[in-house]
């Protein structure tokens, strides 16, 4: 399972590294240290925490205006596989994005909960890029 540094987690959550560090210090998200002493957050823990943070986000009045094409780097929080189709959820800071795509595409990308991915939005379609 992929782990994330405090800085990487902060970027995915849409906050400063200091905020992510304070959350970790307060025990809101579990961390562990690697062999070089860096604090890391397990991908599954970060995925669960990102949902919590996203649900507590500000109102839509706080949302920035964006162009028609957007890239939302985030973390995969759910993958639901059907026989032919699949549903992938990504939490990108306060934004929860859901994409419906083929099961084959999900398997080829190797998408799983806790991994970093980017949701690309164009018109009404959401495309997923594995990072």
């Amino acid at each position: 399972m992929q782990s994330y540094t405090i800085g990487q987690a902060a970027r995915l959550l849409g906050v400063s590294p200091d905020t992510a560090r304070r959350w970790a210090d307060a025990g809101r998200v579990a961390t562990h240290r690697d062999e070089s002493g860096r604090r890391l957050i397990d991908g599954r823990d970060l995925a669960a925490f990102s949902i919590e943070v996203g649900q507590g986000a500000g109102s839509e009045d706080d949302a920035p205006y964006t162009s028609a094409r957007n890239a939302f780097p985030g973390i995969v929080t759910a993958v639901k596989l059907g026989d032919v189709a699949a549903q992938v959820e990504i939490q990108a800071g306060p934004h929860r994005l859901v994409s419906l795509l083929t099961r084959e595409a999900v398997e080829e990308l190797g998408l799983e909960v806790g991994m970093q991915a980017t949701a690309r939005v164009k018109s009404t379609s959401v495309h997923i890029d594995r990072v």
Side-chain angles (χ1 to χ4, degrees):
M1 172 52 51
Q2 184 169 356
S3 292
Y4 298 90
T5 65
I6 294 289
Q8 290 170 324
R11 192 180 90 250
L12 293 170
L13 294 169
V15 299
S16 72
D18 286 337
T19 297
R21 200 172 293 110
R22 281 193 297 274
W23 286 342
D25 290 344
R28 289 189 63 193
V29 63
T31 63
H32 62 279
R33 297 213 181 254
D34 67 6
E35 52 281 344
S36 64
R38 293 182 310 166
R39 289 197 329 181
L40 300 175
I41 302 171
D42 178 74
R44 289 192 184 274
D45 292 338
L46 184 58
F49 184 65
S50 71
I51 293 170
E52 177 186 325
V53 169
Q55 290 172 342
S59 69
E60 288 193 24
D61 294 337
D62 297 334
Y65 293 99
T66 59
S67 67
R69 294 185 178 133
N70 301 289
F72 294 90
I75 188 166
V76 177
T77 58
V79 176
K80 299 172 187 167
L81 296 175
D83 291 338
V84 176
Q87 178 178 315
V88 176
E89 295 181 24
I90 292 179
Q91 192 73 36
H95 308 289
R96 177 179 166 264
L97 297 115
V98 179
S99 179
L100 301 176
L101 55 164
T102 66
R103 178 185 181 119
E104 180 181 11
V106 170
E107 290 171 347
E108 285 179 7
L109 290 170
L111 295 175
E112 60 183 46
V113 171
M115 85 178 342
Q116 188 175 351
T118 299
R120 295 202 183 273
V121 179
K122 180 180 178 197
S123 186
T124 59
S125 299
V126 176
H127 304 269
I128 305 295
D129 296 340
R130 180 175 174 185
V131 179

